[in-house]
Every structure is written in C-alpha cells, then in structure tokens.
Amino acid sequence: MNGTDEHRTGQDDDDTLFSEASAWFFRLQAEDHTATERAAFAAWLARGPAQARAWAEVRDLLGALEAPARAAHHAATPAASRTAKRPQTAPVRRILRGFATAALVLLLAGGALWRGPTLYQNAIADHATAAGQRLTLRLPDGSTADLNGDSALAVDFRGEERRVRLLRGEAWFQVTHDPAHPFVVDAGVGAARVLGTQFSVRRDADRVTVTVGEGLVEVAALESGGAFQWEDTVRVHPGESVETGPRGLSAPQPTDPGIAFAWRHGQIVFRQQSLASVIDALNRQWPGRVVLLNDEAAERVVSGVFSLDRPDPVFDALERGIGVRATRITPYLTLLR
C-alpha cells in the first residue's frame, strides 16, 4: 500500500468515527432514548482514544454553533444557507461537518420554541408519544384513542362531560355511545363534541383539523372570551373534515378517511401536498429530524403512499419526483437540498 492509500484509509476511518459520533449525539438528544442506548454509547466511547477524539470534535462543533444559532434565531435569518453549500470535491469529512453544521444551526435556532413547549406539554399530559411512536389507549368510559407520533393528551372525565385535551399532535377516537355524557375534545383553538362516533383531531400550531369516519361531530371555534361557541357550530359528517383557526370555522370539505387515518395502519399518504407539509409529517412519524435546506423547494408538490417503517423509499421518491437531493448524515438526521 502506498502513502496515498494509507492516507485515504486513515481519512476514511476518521470519517466513519465522525459519522458514528454524530449519530450518537443526535440519538442521545432524542427524548425517547433508552438506558440500553446510553450503555451502548458508553461502550462505544470506551473503545479507544479515536472514539474519544471523534466525540470531542462533535461536541466542540455543537459548542461553536451555539452563538450563531442564537443569533440566527433572533434575527430569523437562514444562517444555515451559508454553510450548507460545499464544493463537491471536498473531502467526505468536510462535507459531513458542513451538513452537520447547517442542520445543527437550524435545530438549535428553533430548539427553544420546539423543545420547551414539548417538555411542558408532556409534563401535564396523561399520555404522550415521541416522534415515530404510536399508542392506543383505553379511556375511562371504554372509548379508544390512538395517538399519532409526537402527540400529547390529557384526560378529564368529571361530572356530566367526558373531556380530553389534545395538547399536541393528532389523535383518533372511537367513542362509546353515551347520550347523557357528551365527549369533548379540546384542541386549543377548536373543539369537537360527539355522543358516539369515530373521528380524528389534528392540532397544528394555530389550526385544528377534525376528520370524521363514522357518525356526526360538532366542531366549535374558540371565541375571544376563551370559551367555545357551541351555539354556532359546524356539523361534520362521515367523509368530511373541517378546520378552525384564526379565521374561524371553515365549511366541511370532502375527505378520504382512508388517507387521513392511514397512519393508524403504518402508512403515510401524500396527495398533492407541499414538500414543507410532507417534511412536517415525516418529522412526526420518524425519530430524528428531516431538514430542508432549500426554501425554494418548500412548495413543490408531492404525492405517494409509503410505509412508516421504511424511510428510504420516501427519500428516493422525492429525489426522482421533485429533484431534491437527500443526504443521510446519521440514521437520525436527513438533509434535503
């Protein structure tokens, strides 16, 4: 082996260790990491000085990014765009560092807004899921609730009303019929009230979407005084959905429950949806993060049916269909350019 080959092999080893260290860093930041994974990381770190050096480099990179990330957050400027563009001929290690830098800036810039509410919501919730996790619950009255990924639910069954609060994310309900005790889902800016039916409620920032599979659901908007306008509701029938938000209640729209509820069966369906909304959906369904570095591609339209446990076909389809390039930095971080 000549000197050039030896140098390349050493660089490849360094790149591999840097990638492994990055993977450990992002995994250990996830809220659902386990004690077994922490023990596995400790074993990896104890293998030798090369692992320790790679870990130190990743930690140093994070420390160096805290100040620019904070500045990017306050200025609301795409700071990552300056670091994302690297020459294609650069060594693999530089490319990895450049991509990791861009992603970390984005993640850290939004971290205070994303993680703070999540931690608070989980603290007051009776049930919560992490990204990529789904949970089926039996409620006190015998009703069933399925929680989608990155969701939180609080249960408050008192008096004559069966009430749950959707603090974050999405939930599907199969409600036991009980005319004497209405079932109410409070989702902040909107609420749904039923006697017995099947429906889902999705909470996105200042917008709530209710989709009905069976039965009849009344949807009310939040009025200025902080109460729901049950005197002025929209009735939603099977195969319809309605939204409520800053502009009030929308009219019911035809919706395919098979698409809306596909996540309950391990699938994710996109029909003429923007890439930005697709990324939001992927981040709810998979551990880690998918980050879009090219804002111009956010409104490109995506359609397809994919399995929730197989992310690679989704990225392959995005590359073929709308011309974005997917780079998997670790199993927990994918960048789209």
Side-chain angles (χ1 to χ4, degrees):
M1 180 181 297
N2 60 36
T4 301
D5 291 337
E6 291 176 355
H7 174 74
R8 183 178 297 113
T9 300
Q11 179 180 291
D12 290 344
D13 291 341
D14 286 345
D15 289 340
T16 298
L17 288 172
F18 185 82
S19 180
E20 290 176 358
S22 299
W24 278 119
F25 173 80
F26 286 109
R27 183 59 197 143
L28 293 176
Q29 300 307 304
E31 294 179 357
D32 61 340
H33 77 267
T34 65
T36 300
E37 288 174 319
R38 291 195 297 271
F41 165 70
W44 174 86
L45 190 60
R47 288 180 187 174
Q51 281 76 10
R53 285 194 301 269
W55 179 247
E57 288 187 24
V58 171
R59 294 296 300 272
D60 288 346
L61 174 63
L62 174 62
L65 285 172
E66 287 181 350
R70 192 178 300 112
H73 170 64
H74 289 303
T77 58
S81 62
R82 296 191 297 273
T83 58
K85 298 176 181 179
R86 298 287 185 180
Q88 294 298 315
T89 57
V92 173
R93 194 173 187 183
R94 286 183 58 201
I95 295 174
L96 283 170
R97 283 175 175 166
F99 288 158
T101 298
L104 280 170
V105 168
L106 289 172
L107 293 175
L108 288 171
L113 295 178
W114 178 70
R115 298 182 68 86
T118 297
L119 293 175
Y120 171 74
Q121 291 159 358
N122 287 351
I124 65 175
D126 293 300
H127 308 279
T129 57
Q133 179 186 20
R134 296 185 296 279
L135 180 65
T136 297
L137 309 170
R138 178 72 66 175
L139 299 178
D141 66 333
S143 299
T144 300
D146 287 358
L147 286 188
N148 203 346
D150 193 19
S151 301
L153 189 74
V155 180
D156 185 14
F157 279 30
R158 290 182 295 182
E160 297 182 354
E161 188 177 75
R162 299 173 287 171
R163 177 178 290 262
V164 298
R165 286 192 296 151
L166 183 63
L167 305 170
R168 180 181 76 253
E170 182 174 18
W172 175 91
F173 300 94
Q174 181 169 343
V175 178
T176 300
H177 188 71
D178 184 355
H181 299 88
F183 188 99
V184 176
V185 180
D186 178 348
V189 297
R193 183 172 64 183
V194 301
L195 299 179
T197 186
Q198 294 181 5
F199 67 105
S200 72
V201 180
R202 171 82 222 163
R203 183 172 182 173
D204 293 294
D206 61 353
R207 186 177 75 254
V208 171
T209 304
V210 178
T211 303
V212 179
E214 293 182 6
L216 181 67
V217 176
E218 288 184 309
V219 179
L222 188 69
E223 62 183 6
S224 57
F228 291 106
Q229 300 177 357
W230 292 116
E231 297 79 12
D232 185 19
T233 63
V234 171
R235 293 194 167 193
V236 190
H237 296 83
E240 293 181 338
S241 67
V242 68
E243 288 188 357
T244 178
R247 299 182 179 180
L249 282 168
S250 73
Q253 300 293 325
T255 300
D256 185 347
I259 293 177
F261 306 153
W263 58 269
R264 298 184 55 244
H265 308 291
Q267 291 185 321
I268 190 166
V269 181
F270 305 120
R271 177 178 290 177
Q272 295 294 299
Q273 292 178 237
S274 69
L275 178 59
S277 66
V278 168
I279 291 174
D280 287 342
L282 297 181
N283 283 332
R284 291 193 297 267
Q285 300 296 348
W286 295 331
R289 302 294 286 174
V290 180
V291 178
L292 179 64
L293 299 181
N294 180 6
D295 292 339
E296 295 178 358
E299 296 305 316
R300 294 181 186 176
V301 176
V302 178
S303 296
V305 180
F306 305 99
S307 173
L308 288 177
D309 60 359
R310 298 181 60 203
D312 286 339
V314 179
F315 299 129
D316 291 343
L318 293 178
E319 289 184 326
R320 293 194 308 268
I322 63 173
V324 297
R325 180 179 176 184
T327 302
R328 301 291 296 275
I329 301 301
T330 77
Y332 307 103
L333 174 63
T334 299
L335 305 182
L336 298 180
R337 297 178 292 139

